[in-house]
Amino acid sequence: MASRDEEFTAYVTARIPWLRRVAYLLCQDWHRADDLVQSATTRLYVHWRRASAAENVDGYARTVLVRVFLAEQRSGWRQRVRVVDRTPDAAVEPADHAGGMDLRAALAELPPRQRAAVVLRFYCDLSIEQTADVLNCSTGTVKSQSARGLDALRRVLAPVAEGERLA
C-alpha cells in the first residue's frame, strides 16, 4: 500500500500544475479549478490501480478531470454556490498578457461542452477520436462542438483583432 501511495503522490505532485491549468481553461476560475483538480485527484486515487496500469496515465487523469467538470456543470452546483469576480484576498496569479485574457474571456462565454471540446482539441492537442473518448460522445459531436466553439471564439475575438490593427 505504501508504494501505491508513493507512486500516486509522485505522479500528482509532478502533474498538478498541468491539471490545474487544464481545469482553469475549462471553468475560468482558479478557485474552482482547484476544486475540480481536488475532486479529480480524489477519483484518480480511488482508481489508481487501474489508472497506473493505463497506457497513458495523463490521458486517464485528463479524462477524469473533464468528466468531473462536465458532471459539475450538469449538477446544481452553480445554483448553490455564488461565484464572485474578485475575492477579498486573491491568491497570486501568474502574469497575464492581454491576448491571453481576451482568449480566456472568450472561452468563458462558450457552453461547457464546446469549451471542453476546444480545450481538449487545441490546448491538450488531442485527436478527434481521443476527445470523443474523453467526452464520451461520437466523433461527429466533437467535430460539431469544436466547430461551433471556434466560430464563437472568432466572433468574439474578431473585433479585438480589428481594433488592435486600427491603433
Side-chain angles (χ1 to χ4, degrees), residues 24-149:
Y24 177 77
L25 289 173
L26 292 170
C27 70
Q28 304 296 303
D29 177 82
W30 285 111
H31 300 288
R32 236 179 108 201
D34 289 337
D35 292 343
L36 287 172
V37 169
Q38 183 176 10
S39 295
T41 54
T42 300
R43 289 186 186 181
L44 192 61
Y45 179 76
V46 170
H47 300 289
W48 183 245
R49 181 169 290 133
R50 186 178 333 151
S52 63
E55 186 176 312
N56 182 356
V57 179
D58 285 346
Y60 192 100
R62 182 181 46 242
T63 298
V64 170
L65 178 65
V66 170
R67 289 183 181 171
V68 165
F69 166 72
L70 291 174
E72 180 183 280
Q73 295 300 113
R74 287 187 296 266
S75 75
W77 182 89
R78 295 178 68 90
Q79 286 78 32
R80 292 190 315 266
V81 176
R82 184 170 167 246
V83 179
V84 293
D85 288 341
R86 289 257 181 234
T87 57
D89 298 322
V92 176
E93 294 184 18
D96 236 338
H97 303 290
M101 290 171 34
D102 291 339
L103 180 58
R104 284 195 298 276
L107 272 172
E109 293 182 24
L110 295 179
R113 290 195 62 88
Q114 284 181 15
R115 189 178 327 143
V118 169
V119 167
L120 291 171
R121 289 280 293 128
F122 303 104
Y123 179 76
C124 296
D125 200 27
L126 295 184
S127 69
I128 292 170
E129 293 77 16
Q130 291 168 321
T131 303
D133 187 48
V134 171
L135 295 177
N136 201 24
C137 64
S138 70
T139 57
T141 299
V142 170
K143 291 176 188 178
S144 67
Q145 292 293 309
S146 297
R148 288 181 186 139

Side-chain angles (χ1 to χ4, degrees), residues 145-160:
Q145 292 293 309
S146 297
R148 288 181 186 139
L150 289 175
D151 285 344
L153 289 175
R154 285 185 193 106
R155 280 193 307 276
V156 171
L157 294 173
V160 173

